[in-house]
């Protein structure tokens, strides 16, 4: 019992040392990102999180919100590519009563829902050009106009955006507005993929295994050497999300 308690205490100490706001990493690049997050969160600057799918961009957005002066306000998350195109504008900006057939009341948009807090626009590269124009106006004037409304409303939100696209290439192709790119690219953080930080794989494996043991009431101590070797040598095109699902 004494030996086990010492091992457990050491394990918790190691996990605590490499944990920052529900994110875990031994990697030097990730640790530098963790170091600058409090200063970035303290400002009102728009943040662009760049990285492949599954690298944890949403966790970074949550950390920025929780460390900011807006932490008591809402964090509203919108995946720009997940909304049906006819509903995108209404979902983002809101819509007045009677704009759509059968709409009998005002429909609040994400700007209104995020008032006083943070609006996280995930996959901003999927936003169509007409909505890019409207978003640019919000970023420049801090005002937006719901569909069917007679006057604009103030947008009291902090913007955090994310993409796994090459926005510079999209700008050159005309698929993303250059002026909007400069407006969202005020503070850019590049989150490295898991294959570039292999030292994190054993740490994450232990954390995920412990999580699933508690979830399912199991007492699995670890992986066989053969299974561990497969996990350590895998490419992880799906990054941390793929590792979690594999565990």
């Amino acid at each position: 019992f004494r030996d086990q308690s010492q091992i457990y205490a050491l394990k918790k100490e190691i996990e605590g040392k490499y944990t920052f706001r529900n994110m875990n990493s031994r990697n030097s690049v990730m640790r530098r990102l963790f170091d600058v997050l409090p200063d970035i969160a303290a400002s009102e600057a728009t943040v662009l999180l760049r990285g492949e799918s599954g690298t944890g961009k949403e966790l970074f957005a949550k950390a920025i919100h929780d460390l900011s002066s807006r932490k008591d306000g809402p964090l509203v998350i919108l995946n720009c590519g997940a909304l049906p195109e006819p509903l995108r504008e209404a979902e983002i900006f809101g819509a007045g009563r009677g704009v759509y057939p059968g709409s009998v009341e005002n429909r609040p948009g994400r700007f209104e829902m995020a008032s006083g807090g943070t609006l996280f626009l995930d996959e901003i590269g999927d936003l169509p050009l007409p909505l890019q124009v409207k978003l640019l106006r919000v970023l420049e004037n801090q005002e937006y106009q719901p569909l069917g409304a007679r006057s604009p409303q103030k947008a009291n939100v902090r913007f955090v955006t994310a993409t796994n696209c090459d926005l510079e290439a999209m700008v050159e192709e005309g698929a993303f507005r250059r002026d909007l790119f400069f407006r969202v690219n005020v503070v850019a953080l590049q989150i490295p993929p898991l294959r570039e930080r292999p030292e994190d794989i054993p740490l994450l494996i232990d954390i995920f295994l412990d999580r699933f043991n508690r979830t399912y009431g199991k007492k699995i101590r670890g992986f066989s050497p053969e299974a561990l070797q497969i996990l350590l040598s895998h490419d992880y095109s799906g990054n941390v999300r793929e590792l979690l699902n594999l565990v």
Side-chain angles (χ1 to χ4, degrees), residues 55-92:
T55 50
K57 296 188 290 294
E58 186 173 320
L59 289 176
F60 272 85
K62 289 179 178 178
I64 291 170
H65 173 74
D66 291 341
L67 291 166
S68 75
S69 60
R70 294 175 174 269
K71 62 182 182 297
D72 295 326
L75 170 64
V76 175
I77 299 170
L78 174 65
N79 188 313
C80 297
L83 295 173
E85 191 162 344
L87 299 177
R88 281 177 181 168
E89 187 170 356
E91 284 290 334
I92 297 172

Side-chain angles (χ1 to χ4, degrees), residues 19-237:
T19 299
F20 180 83
R21 295 282 169 173
N22 295 321
M23 296 180 285
N24 309 93
S25 182
R26 291 188 178 104
N27 179 261
S28 60
V29 175
M30 290 287 286
R31 300 302 303 177
R32 285 197 295 272
L33 291 177
F34 295 166
D35 288 342
V36 300
L37 274 187
D39 287 336
I40 292 171
S43 76
E44 285 285 302
T46 302
V47 180
L48 175 61
L49 301 171
R50 313 190 72 159
E52 297 176 8
S53 178
T55 50
K57 296 188 290 294
E58 186 173 320
L59 289 176
F60 272 85
K62 289 179 178 178
I64 291 170
H65 173 74
D66 291 341
L67 291 166
S68 75
S69 60
R70 294 175 174 269
K71 62 182 182 297
D72 295 326
L75 170 64
V76 175
I77 299 170
L78 174 65
N79 188 313
C80 297
L83 295 173
E85 191 162 344
L87 299 177
R88 281 177 181 168
E89 187 170 356
E91 284 290 334
I92 297 172
F93 298 97
R97 183 176 59 185
V99 171
Y100 294 110
S103 60
V104 295
E105 59 183 4
N106 293 333
R107 179 178 183 173
R110 302 304 169 95
F111 285 123
E112 182 178 341
M113 294 165 63
S115 183
T118 304
L119 179 60
F120 175 44
L121 297 173
D122 197 8
E123 304 304 345
I124 193 171
D126 292 337
L127 205 62
L129 285 169
L131 290 186
Q132 290 180 30
V133 176
K134 295 198 171 188
L135 177 60
L136 178 64
R137 289 175 182 164
V138 179
L139 287 165
E140 289 180 339
N141 303 323
Q142 294 297 305
E143 288 184 345
Y144 69 97
Q145 190 156 341
L147 289 172
R150 295 182 178 180
S151 58
Q153 299 181 17
K154 277 291 181 184
N156 178 22
V157 297
R158 164 69 175 293
F159 287 95
V160 178
T161 64
T163 185
N164 59 10
C165 301
D166 185 345
L167 290 185
E168 290 89 343
M170 292 180 65
V171 167
E172 295 303 319
E173 295 165 1
F176 198 84
R177 290 184 62 94
R178 189 180 301 273
D179 45 8
L180 179 59
F181 172 71
F182 290 134
R183 197 65 185 79
V184 300
N185 194 39
V186 179
V187 177
L189 299 180
Q190 183 72 44
I191 305 171
L194 188 57
R195 62 181 173 276
E196 292 181 8
R197 45 190 179 103
E199 66 269 39
D200 283 346
I201 296 174
L203 174 68
L204 293 171
I205 286 173
D206 284 344
I207 291 170
F208 294 157
L209 183 60
D210 183 60
R211 181 189 302 178
F212 288 131
N213 274 335
R214 285 185 277 110
T215 299
Y216 297 110
K218 301 292 185 180
K219 297 180 180 179
I220 299 169
R221 294 191 298 270
F223 292 85
S224 69
E226 295 82 5
L228 189 59
Q229 185 57 46
I230 291 172
L231 289 172
L232 291 173
S233 60
H234 187 59
D235 183 62
Y236 293 108
S237 58

